[in-house]
């Protein structure tokens, strides 16, 4: 996602956003990464498939399953992967090369926004702030980078 915005001071800002496939590592999140590998998830998936297989093998022949039950099971199975995809963090970068006269230097602002539904609105707010005040909002997710 790229967007070009012109500020009141004449500088052109480029706002870029791209999805991150991994959560950015911060000091606050360090304790949550205790397992550090995929073994517990793979083991739980194996147990779930084994229990589902045992249920299917021991099911009576004349049992009538309502039509919505497989769809409900599919929805339950896809809930966490869909949640994971929709809540991925996006890195947003707003940068300018400055103006040709040299009155304003080049700047780069970087931040993170979580969620695919939040990113469009946040980019619009950043573009509006740049067009009105010549800078991204200090209260927003972006912060200046040297």
């Amino acid at each position: 996602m790229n967007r070009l915005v012109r500020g009141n001071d004449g500088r052109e800002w480029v706002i870029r956003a791209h999805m991150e496939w991994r959560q950015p590592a911060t000091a606050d999140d360090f304790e949550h990464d205790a397992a550090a590998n995929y073994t517990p998830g793979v083991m739980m998936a194996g147990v779930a498939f084994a229990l589902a297989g045992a249920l299917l093998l021991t099911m009576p022949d004349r049992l009538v399953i309502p039509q919505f039950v497989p769809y409900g099971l599919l929805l339950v199975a896809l809930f966490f992967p869909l949640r994971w995809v929709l809540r991925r963090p996006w890195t947003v970068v707003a940068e300018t090369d400055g103006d040709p006269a040299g009155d304003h230097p080049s700047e780069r602002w970087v931040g993170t926004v979580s969620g695919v539904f939040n990113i469009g609105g946040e980019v619009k707010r950043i573009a509006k702030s740049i067009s009105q005040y010549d800078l991204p909002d200090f209260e927003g997710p972006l912060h200046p980078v040297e």
Side-chain angles (χ1 to χ4, degrees), residues 29 58 64 101 127:
D29 297 332
T58 60
V64 177

Side-chain angles (χ1 to χ4, degrees), residues 15-38:
I15 304 173
R16 293 189 321 263
H18 64 276
M19 184 187 297
E20 297 290 339
W21 288 104
R22 291 182 169 255
Q23 221 37 357
T26 62
D28 298 336
D29 297 332
F30 179 72
E31 294 178 7
H32 297 291
D33 193 20
N37 59 26
Y38 299 112

Side-chain angles (χ1 to χ4, degrees), residues 9-76:
D9 57 1
R11 293 188 292 177
E12 287 188 355
W13 289 75
V14 176
I15 304 173
R16 293 189 321 263
H18 64 276
M19 184 187 297
E20 297 290 339
W21 288 104
R22 291 182 169 255
Q23 221 37 357
T26 62
D28 298 336
D29 297 332
F30 179 72
E31 294 178 7
H32 297 291
D33 193 20
N37 59 26
Y38 299 112
T39 305
V42 171
M43 294 298 291
M44 288 303 293
V47 168
F49 284 125
L51 290 174
L55 179 66
L56 290 175
L57 290 175
T58 60
M59 194 168 40
D61 293 337
R62 295 175 31 171
L63 181 66
V64 177
I65 299 173
Q67 202 171 20
F68 65 87
V69 170
Y71 295 121
L73 291 175
L74 182 65
L75 183 65
V76 167

Side-chain angles (χ1 to χ4, degrees), residues 107-110 138 142-146:
E107 293 186 50
R108 180 179 169 92
W109 293 55
V110 179
F138 282 101
L142 297 185
H143 301 290
V145 176
E146 292 291 326

Side-chain angles (χ1 to χ4, degrees), residues 116-135:
V116 72
F117 298 116
N118 298 336
I119 189 67
E122 197 60 48
V123 168
K124 286 179 188 176
R125 273 189 231 102
I126 294 167
K128 184 178 179 182
S129 175
I130 289 173
S131 65
Q132 288 179 348
Y133 306 113
D134 303 329
L135 288 174

